[in-house]
Amino acid sequence: MGLFNRKADTTATATATLEVDPALAALTGDYSIDPAHSSVGFTVRHAMVTNVRGSFGDFSGSLHLNGTDPHHSTAEIDVKIDSIDTGIADRDGHLRSGDFFEAEQYPLMTFRSTQAEQLGGDTYRITGDLTIKDVTRPLAIDLEFNGSVTDVYGNERVGFEGSAEILRSDWGLTWNAALETGGVMVSDKVKLTFDISAIKAAA
């Protein structure tokens, strides 16, 4: 089921009309991300030999899905930097500090989509603007559509999971420390992960 932009068949005539999947069209509407059943996380290499995983506990966002004209679907999310959690309080405090996110001065990380396309089947790529510390750069997130359901409370839900890789230095997150044996304490490459459940707004 395609939620986002389907690439047109180049063999079709200019006057051809694509059929709209009724199940897809029924998903059209505005959705709010449910933070209780969603997660925004990251993985980064530490000391060249292992991975540290963390997440942000406080975020909000919305989706607009257009099943009739899928390329008009959009996504946005606001993440509170102060909610970072790697399981170690001292490390979290360092990440909030001026060495990294400067959370007091730059409290939010935001994403605003600008384009969506179907890569094949239920796999999509959402491109948009990621802003960290007032630096805005393009980001492409590969997503898998996990389907839609009406939950036990009567909410219409959709689910997505996806990931993207960034170089943190592109957003001014440059702190590091050299290791005596070579290499650095924290890798520049960071993997971002998203597991999203969103609830459709009442008509």
Side-chain angles (χ1 to χ4, degrees):
M1 181 185 293
L3 275 178
F4 298 103
N5 188 29
R6 292 179 182 270
K7 294 182 179 179
D9 184 349
T10 56
T11 63
T13 65
T15 57
T17 301
L18 294 176
E19 293 184 5
V20 176
D21 183 341
L24 175 62
L27 297 180
T28 296
D30 295 317
Y31 293 76
S32 296
I33 292 175
D34 176 9
H37 297 95
S38 303
S39 64
V40 177
F42 61 89
T43 304
V44 62
R45 182 76 72 177
H46 175 261
M48 310 293 291
V49 296
T50 191
N51 290 317
V52 169
R53 293 175 174 82
S55 62
F56 295 92
D58 193 347
F59 56 89
S60 61
S62 62
L63 311 174
H64 175 75
L65 302 183
N66 189 321
T68 303
D69 195 0
H71 69 276
H72 286 155
S73 298
T74 60
E76 62 180 54
I77 189 167
D78 295 332
V79 178
K80 290 188 178 180
I81 296 298
D82 191 54
S83 69
I84 196 167
D85 182 8
T86 65
I88 297 178
D90 286 347
R91 181 166 59 203
D92 296 342
H94 190 200
L95 289 169
R96 296 184 188 104
S97 76
D99 283 344
F100 286 96
F101 284 106
E102 298 183 72
E104 288 190 8
Q105 185 173 355
Y106 306 105
L108 287 180
M109 173 173 64
T110 66
F111 177 79
R112 301 289 184 268
S113 68
T114 57
Q115 182 181 356
E117 62 180 315
Q118 184 180 21
L119 301 181
D122 286 334
T123 304
Y124 305 89
R125 178 166 292 150
I126 308 301
T127 303
D129 295 325
L130 177 67
T131 300
I132 305 173
K133 296 178 67 172
D134 280 356
V135 176
T136 300
R137 296 180 64 89
L139 176 69
I141 304 172
D142 288 346
L143 292 168
E144 182 177 353
F145 175 52
N146 289 335
S148 61
V149 69
T150 301
D151 68 21
V152 295
Y153 301 105
N155 298 310
E156 295 183 59
R157 289 181 179 266
V158 293
F160 297 88
E161 60 182 309
S163 62
E165 288 190 349
I166 66 171
L167 297 179
R168 60 189 177 89
S169 59
D170 287 344
W171 281 266
L173 302 173
T174 57
W175 183 91
N176 227 320
L179 301 174
E180 291 184 4
T181 54
V184 293
M185 182 68 73
V186 184
S187 68
D188 192 19
K189 183 166 65 176
V190 180
K191 181 179 181 181
L192 304 176
T193 57
F194 306 88
D195 200 341
I196 301 299
S197 178
I199 298 173
K200 191 175 185 180

